[in-house]
Amino acid sequence: NNYVEITKISLNLSNVKVNEVLDVIESKTEFRFLYKDRDLDLDRKVTINVNQERVVNVLDKLFENTAVIYKIYNDRQILLKTVSESKRPKSSLGAEIVTPQQQTLTGSVIDEEGLPIPGASIVIKGTNVGVATDFDGHYSINAEPGDILVVSFIGFATQEIVLGNQDTLNITMKTETSSLDEVVVVGYGTQRKSDLTGSVGVIGSEKLLKAPVTNSLQGLQGKVAGVNVFLNSGSPTGAPRIVIRGVGTINSSSDPLYVVDGVVMDEIQFLNPNDIERMEVLKDASSAAIYGARGANGVVLITTKRGGESGRTIIGYDGFVSVGKMRNKMDILNAEEWLDVVRIGMENTPKYRPGTTPVFTTNDPDLFDAQGNPLYDTDWQEEATRTAISNNHQLSIRSGSEKSSVGAFLNYSNVQGIMLNNDLERISGKIAYDVTPKDWLSLGINLLVNDVKDTEFEEGGGGQVPRRTMIEMPPIFPVKFPDGTYSNSFMIDDAYNLEAMANPVHVLETQERFWHRNQLFGNVYAEFTILPDLKFRTQFGFDKHIREKKEYSPRDLINISAPNGYARIYNQKSTYWQQENYLTYTKEMDDHRINAMLGLSWQEQVSEDSNIFSRGFSDDFFKYNNIGAGSDPDSPSSGYSKWSLNSYFLRAGYTFKNKYMVTLTGRLDGSSRFGENNKYGFFPSVGGGWILSEESFLSDVEDLDNLKLRASYGVTGNTEIPAYSSLATVSSGTILLNGTRVSSSQVNRLANPNLEWEKTSQFDIGLDLAAFNQGLRFEFDYYYKKTTDLLLDRPVPYSTGFAAVRDNIGAVSNKGIEAMVTANIFRKPDFNWETSFNINFNKNKIESLGENDEDIEPGPFWVSGSQTILRVGESLSSYWGYERLGTWGTDEAAEAALVGAVPGEAKRSAEKKILGNGLPDFTGSWINTFRYKNFDFTADIQFVGGVDILQQFYHSTEDRSGIANGLATILYDGWTEQNQNTMVQEIRNQSYAGQNSQIDSHWVVDGSYIRGNLFTLGYTFNQNVLDDLGLNKLRVYASLENAFVIDSKDFQGYDPQATSWEGNQWGQNIFFFQYPKPTTFTLGCSFTF
Amino acid sequence: SDFLDEEPRSELSSSQFFKEADQARSAVNSLYRTGAPSMTDGGVYSGVPTMLGAYMSGFFSNEYAGQELHVSNTQQLTLNGDNIGGYLQDRWGDLYRGISRANNAIKYIPETPGLTDSERNQLMAEAKFFRAYAYYYLVRLFGPVPLTTEPYDSLEDLYLERSSVAEVYAQIEADLSDALYNGELPNVGMVDNGKRISSGTVATLLAEVYLTMSGNPLNVDRYGDAASLAQKIVNGDYGSFSLVQHDMIDGEVDLENSAYNKIRRSDASAQEHIYIKEYDPAISTSGFPRYSYPTGLSQDVLYDIVNGAYQPSSTFMDLYDPVNDLRAQEKQYFHTALEGSDKTFEPTPYMWHDDEAIFETANSGKDQAMLTFADVLLIGAEAIAQSSGVTAEAVDYLAQVRARAYWQSDISTIETSLSGLGVNEFVEEVWKERHRELVFEFQNWNDIVRTRKFPVANTPGEITFVDAVGFVTSQDKQIEQKHMLLPLPGPELQRNPSLGTDNNGY
């Protein structure tokens, strides 16, 4: 604690008030005092004469014989607090110890970083016997076995410890996250949590990193009520989707805004999660409105780690190795069963195609033995996957001196997916430097570089890609024939007429899909203290991405790139910068506290991309390294787009008597993306809070620590539409004419000069409660969000020549409740059990659409058209199709014929209807943390309910058969004359007899599930062991992620949370084959020295 | 402030359009692949939009009917504006997109600087041709449709009412006449005109339009106009066209080099093809070869997937004389066996078999003929007969087409057999030939709708005509009056309340 130790102060004050002394100290040094006015007798007159004394000595003098204790944070901030009379440590800083002794217990009190906590109060419960720790955190108290020690200190959770027979007891105090005095990061500054009027979720790095995450959003899952994290893929290259308080938009993005150290960041999933210090999620209008036009989907504020404390250099290492394995397999046909299906399908053919009588044979000597039995029974799910081994290493060096601090962080991670050849390798480095060269000036810089190389796994589309062929490749084929050639489905002489597919191992091992992503991100700020209460901060931030994709697909992958092969080089570059300036005014006077901020901002982003693509390779050698070797190039293409945003914002918070608080926020945003007539939009919000527990009528309630009511209302906006949407623009390209490319141009949009902001007005009412020394905490929110003036692709008659115009029309609402309860069930020195349960119910409804409330079919488009529909009165993401009533029975032949069907085929309703919903009604998690002696154990259970899954893969694995492998249900549950009461259609060979397949209710299944998200067992070594090792802290842990999933018995896929339509707003829970999500076992350790 | 101004760089803003001659050219170029030309665009499973009528007639089926709802519902005549609404809406949208782009060109080309008068007229003529062609599709498919000839520059007048069939045809006629008589288009075929619209193309479409106007549903007698235009085309006023003839070896037709196979093998025939949808293996490939084999043959060809998306029923094949009609012979119009193997299959179009694409490249650049000289001859024959009686000229026109098919018959015998016929009998002979000859130009259903007659051959090759309405197709479904039009797309009815109710009966 360098600054504390080095700084000497001289004071010569007589008969002045205590607060004047504090003011003088503040003006002469960098120390800043934090206290509640009611805690201190600020008007007490004192006389103090010191010469070149350390501040701690001054404080000792100043508060001698009072109940005031202090604690120094960050080498500068000094918290002052009164220990209540009953708990007052009589020994405070040398004061006498009152009670007689039984036996002397000694030890020290430290925080989680291992730093001593001076001034912590240790009181024997039920007595007024107590002590406070000294400057080094040591204490000594006389107590007897069976006594209960109450250990408390401001900012930390109070602990009760039952004494055994020991004579030493070291106590580690945990930061109290819901303490009234906790400071919360809000937009453009910080606020006391007690002053908050909005709904803000806070997660520290220890919770974010509890699971061995490789993705910065993974750790957010289940930690904040109302924040829905969809981990839709098992691939390390998959992007999680975050939805905060329901989807409130249709054509714009529903992603929240990510702000890292005050700078908006793109492609957040590649940010190194180990660099994150804390995350704040701004959920309601009072908190998010400061981000105005970009706040409607909620805001995630990320604070990254910075330099160390004064006088200390801490070097830390965190690392883990993990092993991922496939959790489950889909139940598909083996070779023998599949051949049965082929045979039966052929036998049934004349029923569907009279006159066609295919003959089933098993003659191909490469695939069958002389008796016609298959030579191979390949488990493609096994062959296409692997045991994935990943590792992650984070090195941090944090150091501080009197006026500066620096932190350097280096990360390497190598993550394997369980599909062959699907890897991600990241090297990232970050450096943060903060310096206070003058009393009135502080400066800082933060620079982050990120280099990610990955082999992308194809998760979209409906072609014969590995995630599909690992199910559909017939098991009778080997991975490679004895001569070393990869098999494909055409390598059979028997007339099976199989669908063309390259085997998945062949594709995974030979197709190249390399991404190389570079990110340069950072900011620099200067903060000027103009007056003690008034600060000005100016900040410049940037986020630059350079991404390159190189692809080659060889000439022998049938139905993918045969016979010509293709190569692609794609470059994408985006440069974002922002410049923001704001004034902050904080003032406390008697019963009044003011926190005000006023600022302005400019932001701009430019994106460019180019694409080169060629087919027609005569050799698989050149690939993208010599794309000119391709004889059949596409036209090269490139694009450019730019948007800018100019904003003015202000926030004023006022707290009266620590009981009543109000926050006003307003932001005026101008965006280039809107029509000429409506560039600017104003986004106001108001929030109020009332701490009931401070009222006299509740002061007698002994166990109540805090009870607060909050309410807010405000408007936020959404601008996330492509640039130039308000303009009618002319697209240019080329078309074929007379054997050459000639230029071609057409107007591609209707102009809408009135295009303006999408607005979300949100009402929130919330309650925070803490009781039993923070042993029970409860947070509850109700919200109603209505998004109006949707930036909708408003349907227009196609007779205009256009399908839609981007317009502000239509409305969507979300209403819901969020509840989070945390209880410290046991608080014993050797055993601690904390349980935390959170849940969010959300109801989503389309209130209105276009001028005529037309249905909109937004896709994803697939077999039988749009798989979802947008209809007034219904929820977003509603599946759309016919109901499968069963299968036609033999006694219904005549009725079936009317719709062109025969018995054995699906029987469907006459009208299309809504078949289900892809967005859940409720989500939540239940997290238990146990600590027993040095062990800690976490059990994290996640659950989702009131949601459906559209199993599109039924199309090709059940509705049709014979040309590819499929689900076992076709053989065992399929219609036969003896088994007519079934939903599954009769086996029918697609190539000979056609098929009957379209989206219907049989594809839809309940998507609710309970997931064993994370189980972690950790061990933290004792100080004496650490001393021997020369370490400050050492923890080792083992964890199991995604251990189990309990889902509907009718669900036939891998994992109930996914999408096969990545990037499609309405693709959630629609599966046309998935990347299997692994169960991962991890061993890790972290230490500092 | 300037900071928030938007200046697109990868696209022009519309105010910058039609400011240079090249922009006008490029706007017209785009019409070659939108609007009416998009009616031959489709996927391997879906078939192309011009096949819808073929499915309704029951004459053609698609192996993927079980997943392609627009196929199954047209085949089963269970179609309505909801169950295939999306598919119909897309077609409606494609056609109006072409119209909208043509409207834009037609409005702004006159004020585009830098064009010579002659080029300006030609570009206007091309744009009008494409506008008319799109409306011609619309009016035949949907009947009365909204008529718009101005580009949309704002959000006004979005909700147009339907104009009558007569009004739509009046617009089509006006555009085509204007293009033909004021367009300064070269009097050559399209193939000889750098594959751009020529006067021959415009004249042929106009002749067909006159013929169609003369039939159902409009029934105004424009046979005379159709006849005189067809005669002018035949006489070379708009370029030199003729039917491709068979190659002969020792006085016998060389079947491998029959006219049909020569046309099939060539890219486009300058002689016989009057309007083509152009394809190129490197720029825009044709999907038609994928329809030339049934799906079971996928393993035997280089394409990964082929599909019998246009497989004729036996009732259709029966329209041909199995012995005397060359078109019905193996590997002329259709085929049923794979070269060099013992694999056989139900007939699929051999006309779309592209040897190189099927076996070597999986990439075809063969153009698709949509208007041919055979059509002109048959339009002429029918229109002359209807307006002037069964003249020698009418007989000659029909005989030219028929004699090429009846390769072992003498043309004079055919002429003789036709000469003595009454007008109605003769016209039916023309219809028969249209059904047999123009099958790859997708004219069968158009002719059924126009004539309200369905061709039936109880004995192969001997066609009689029965009333189309009430006829039971080979799919065992009865054609109703309503099927003479398609239903309006359900989504468009929602979007545009001014359309009123759906077509009668849907």
Side-chain angles (χ1 to χ4, degrees), chain B residues 30-42:
Chain B
S30 81
L31 299 174
Y32 280 80
R33 305 205 84 80
T34 46
S38 71
M39 295 298 280
T40 51
D41 292 340

Side-chain angles (χ1 to χ4, degrees), chain A residues 96-150:
Chain A
E96 71 191 292
I97 294 165
V98 176
T99 333
Q101 50 329 199
Q102 292 78 18
Q103 86 185 66
T104 305
L105 178 73
T106 57
S108 60
V109 178
I110 54 171
D111 64 15
E112 284 164 298
E113 298 241 314
L115 300 173
I117 302 177
S121 145
I122 299 168
V123 176
I124 296 171
K125 194 170 184 178
T127 72
N128 58 358
V129 178
V131 295
T133 52
D134 65 14
F135 194 80
D136 299 316
H138 296 310
Y139 73 93
S140 168
I141 191 171
N142 291 318
E144 60 186 20
D147 277 353
I148 296 171
L149 291 191
V150 180

Side-chain angles (χ1 to χ4, degrees), chain A residues 303-474:
Chain A
T303 307
T304 65
K305 292 175 177 157
R306 300 189 83 88
E309 294 190 36
S310 184
R312 287 173 63 104
T313 298
I314 299 177
I315 294 172
Y317 169 84
D318 298 273
F320 64 78
V321 177
S322 72
V323 180
K325 288 190 84 91
M326 202 157 163
R327 188 177 62 79
N328 57 343
K329 285 187 188 167
M330 283 173 64
D331 186 12
I332 56 178
L333 303 161
N334 67 21
E336 201 182 320
E337 293 169 318
W338 182 74
L339 288 168
D340 278 346
V341 167
V342 175
R343 178 180 51 77
I344 296 168
M346 290 190 182
E347 287 165 6
N348 288 340
T349 295
K351 179 175 165 188
Y352 296 95
R353 292 273 165 89
T356 308
T357 50
V359 181
F360 175 74
T361 58
T362 50
N363 294 334
D364 190 324
D366 290 337
L367 298 171
F368 302 102
D369 65 17
Q371 286 71 46
N373 296 314
L375 294 174
Y376 305 101
D377 186 2
T378 305
D379 180 345
W380 291 104
Q381 299 185 75
E382 192 72 42
E383 297 294 341
T385 57
R386 63 181 173 184
T387 299
I389 300 181
S390 305
N391 58 81
N392 178 66
H393 310 276
Q394 169 91 357
L395 182 67
S396 63
I397 303 168
R398 307 170 75 177
S399 152
S401 68
E402 185 190 345
K403 286 184 183 292
S404 69
S405 75
V406 64
F409 308 86
L410 190 64
N411 177 266
Y412 171 78
S413 68
N414 187 336
V415 193
Q416 289 190 340
I418 57 171
M419 297 299 297
L420 300 180
N421 244 332
N422 172 223
D423 302 283
L424 180 145
E425 190 182 29
R426 177 181 59 222
I427 299 172
S428 92
K430 179 180 125 77
I431 189 156
Y433 178 68
D434 296 280
V435 60
T436 308
K438 303 281 178 204
D439 287 350
W440 49 270
L441 176 66
S442 54
L443 300 166
I445 186 166
N446 181 31
L447 193 64
L448 187 154
V449 288
N450 205 355
D451 183 293
V452 179
K453 288 180 180 152
D454 64 67
T455 48
E456 178 194 62
F457 185 83
E458 194 166 6
E459 297 202 61
Q464 268 68 23
V465 294
R467 69 171 205 286
R468 176 176 180 184
T469 51
M470 69 191 278
I471 304 303
E472 292 197 358
M473 184 74 191

Side-chain angles (χ1 to χ4, degrees), chain B residues 261-282:
Chain B
N261 274 319
K262 283 160 71 181
I263 289 171
R264 176 180 65 77
R265 254 183 246 115
S266 68
D267 185 14
S269 166
Q271 192 179 340
E272 187 161 338
H273 291 170
I274 296 179
Y275 175 78
I276 48 155
K277 174 78 177 289
E278 188 185 356
Y279 293 105
D280 182 275

